Amino acid sequence: MGEYEPTKAPTAQSDISRRQMLKKIGIGATGVGLLTQVGSVLAVTQSNNAQTLKSTSLKGNVHHSLARWTYGDLSIEELCQVVKSIGFNAIDLIGPEDWPTLKKHGIYSSMCNGAELNLTDGWGDKQFHDALIERYHRHIDLVADAGYTNLICFSGNKRGMTPELGLQNAVLGLKQILSHAEKRGVILQMELFNSKIDHPDYFADNSAWGIELCKRLGSDSFKLLYDIYHMQISEGDIIRTITDHHQYFGHYHTAGVPGRHEIDESQELFYPAIARAILATGYRGYLAQEFIPTPADVAGKIESLRQAIHLCDV
C-alpha cells in the first residue's frame, strides 16, 4: 500500500484545549452551592405548564449526548439531573468511577474513557504501545461488562514522525487489541482533532488520515469520532465529508467555530443542516454537544445546553 500523504502541513498555534480545561475544572468536583443552584433551576423548569413542556419536547430522531468535561463545574449527580430535565439520556467521556451514578439515573455512557494515557501519547508512537495495550485490554472488559459500546482513543502527537509512519505504528498497536474488542462488542473510536489551534502536532488532524487508518485496520470495532468543531478548523467541507465517508464515522461532537462555545448564530456553522446530513446517512448513534458554555451562572449554562439540543433536534 502506498504511503499516506497529507494535503497540507498544520500550523503549531495553540489555544484552549480539552486537556487544559480538564486540569482547570477538576473533573468530578462539586462546586460550593452548586447543588442548591441546580435544584432551584430545575424546580423552575419543572414548574412550567404542560403545554410549554409539550411544545419543547424532543422529536426522537437524534440521539443526543453531552461531553461531561464541558460542564465540569457540576457534579455527575447534578449533570444527570440536568440531562434528564432537558429530555435526553446520555453523557460522553465518562469513566468507570462514575458509571454507577449514571446507571442510578438511567443515563447511558455514550462514550467511555479512562484507558488513554493522555491526548498526546497515543497509538501513533510505538513507545507507548505496551502501556496502551495493557490499559485498553483491561478497559475493553470494563466497558463490555458495564453494558456499554464506545471507548475513546487517540492518535497522539507526531514528535517528528511522518504521517505514514504514524499510520504504520497505529496499525501495529491497535491490531493487538482489536480482536479482543471485536469479541467483547466494543468499538474503539479515535477522535479527530485540529492541530492548528487546539492540539498542535496531533497525528489525526484530518479526516483522510483517520479514514486511511480505518481502511488498513478493516474492523467494524474501529471507527472515527468525527469532531465537527475540529474538522471545520482543519479542513471544512463538513457535510460533504460526512455524506461521502460516513461509514468510517462512529460518533460526532459539536461546538461553535471559532471559540468552541455555543452553536448558535454567534458562530459560522449551521448545525441543523449538519444534523440532517448525519441522519440522512442512516446514522443512529449519538451526537454529543462539546461546546464550552459562556454564561457565568448555572441557569445560563443549562439554558445554553437546552438551546443546543433543540437546535440539533431535527
Side-chain angles (χ1 to χ4, degrees), residues 203-280:
F203 266 121
D205 65 351
N206 63 91
S207 58
W209 191 94
I211 290 168
E212 179 62 24
L213 180 57
C214 288
K215 290 177 178 178
R216 295 190 189 188
L217 289 170
S219 173
D220 289 336
S221 283
F222 182 83
K223 298 286 185 181
L224 301 176
L225 194 172
Y226 186 84
D227 190 302
I228 298 164
Y229 160 81
H230 284 299
M231 290 301 96
Q232 172 67 5
I233 293 173
S234 288
E235 61 191 25
D237 207 15
I238 299 296
I239 289 179
R240 190 199 312 270
T241 300
I242 290 170
T243 301
D244 291 349
H245 303 293
H246 61 89
Q247 65 269 36
Y248 303 108
F249 304 152
H251 201 79
Y252 293 90
H253 280 173
T254 78
V257 180
R260 199 182 191 132
H261 296 301
E262 282 81 358
I263 61 171
D264 55 19
E265 293 181 356
S266 65
Q267 52 86 50
E268 66 195 33
L269 291 164
F270 186 61
Y271 271 97
I274 295 172
R276 291 189 191 97
I278 291 171
L279 285 181

Side-chain angles (χ1 to χ4, degrees), residues 62 87 100 107 135 142 157 171 239 254 267:
V62 176
I107 303 296
R135 292 170 64 94
L142 292 174
N157 286 9
V171 169
I239 289 179
T254 78
Q267 52 86 50

Side-chain angles (χ1 to χ4, degrees), residues 29-264:
T30 304
V32 177
L34 278 176
L35 183 59
T36 300
Q37 294 180 54
V38 172
S40 299
V41 171
L42 296 182
V44 170
T45 299
Q46 292 165 359
S47 70
N48 290 335
N49 60 54
Q51 183 61 41
T52 300
L53 291 175
K54 182 178 179 181
S55 67
T56 59
S57 61
L58 301 178
K59 297 181 177 68
N61 299 324
V62 176
H63 294 154
H64 299 283
S65 185
L66 165 70
R68 190 274 179 272
W69 73 273
T70 59
Y71 280 73
D73 49 356
L74 300 181
S75 71
I76 291 293
E77 285 275 355
E78 293 162 348
L79 196 56
C80 286
Q81 294 176 46
V82 169
V83 163
K84 290 173 70 174
S85 77
I86 295 175
F88 64 104
N89 64 351
I91 302 177
D92 259 30
L93 304 176
I94 296 288
E97 68 279 2
D98 290 319
W99 294 344
T101 303
L102 265 63
K103 289 179 181 291
K104 181 179 73 173
H105 288 278
I107 303 296
Y108 186 72
S109 180
S110 45
M111 181 61 67
C112 302
N113 69 357
E116 69 278 3
L117 294 170
N118 49 58
L119 305 184
T120 60
D121 302 337
W123 291 100
D125 193 330
K126 287 195 296 185
Q127 69 175 308
F128 304 115
H129 282 182
D130 288 345
L132 288 169
I133 289 167
E134 179 182 354
R135 292 170 64 94
Y136 272 87
H137 196 280
R138 180 173 64 250
H139 224 80
I140 285 167
D141 285 332
L142 292 174
V143 170
D145 290 344
Y148 301 134
T149 300
N150 294 326
L151 177 58
I152 198 167
C153 66
F154 303 97
S155 69
N157 286 9
K158 300 183 180 77
R159 296 181 173 88
M161 289 179 282
T162 65
E164 172 59 27
L165 182 55
L167 282 170
Q168 294 175 13
N169 289 342
V171 169
L172 178 66
L174 287 163
K175 279 192 171 180
Q176 297 183 62
I177 60 169
L178 269 178
S179 61
H180 188 55
E182 291 165 352
K183 185 189 307 180
R184 297 306 313 270
V186 171
I187 301 175
L188 302 176
Q189 307 260 8
M190 181 173 284
E191 185 162 10
L192 302 176
F193 288 153
N194 81 78
S195 60
K196 179 180 180 181
I197 302 296
D198 299 290
H199 300 278
D201 203 43
Y202 191 70
F203 266 121
D205 65 351
N206 63 91
S207 58
W209 191 94
I211 290 168
E212 179 62 24
L213 180 57
C214 288
K215 290 177 178 178
R216 295 190 189 188
L217 289 170
S219 173
D220 289 336
S221 283
F222 182 83
K223 298 286 185 181
L224 301 176
L225 194 172
Y226 186 84
D227 190 302
I228 298 164
Y229 160 81
H230 284 299
M231 290 301 96
Q232 172 67 5
I233 293 173
S234 288
E235 61 191 25
D237 207 15
I238 299 296
I239 289 179
R240 190 199 312 270
T241 300
I242 290 170
T243 301
D244 291 349
H245 303 293
H246 61 89
Q247 65 269 36
Y248 303 108
F249 304 152
H251 201 79
Y252 293 90
H253 280 173
T254 78
V257 180
R260 199 182 191 132
H261 296 301
E262 282 81 358
I263 61 171
D264 55 19

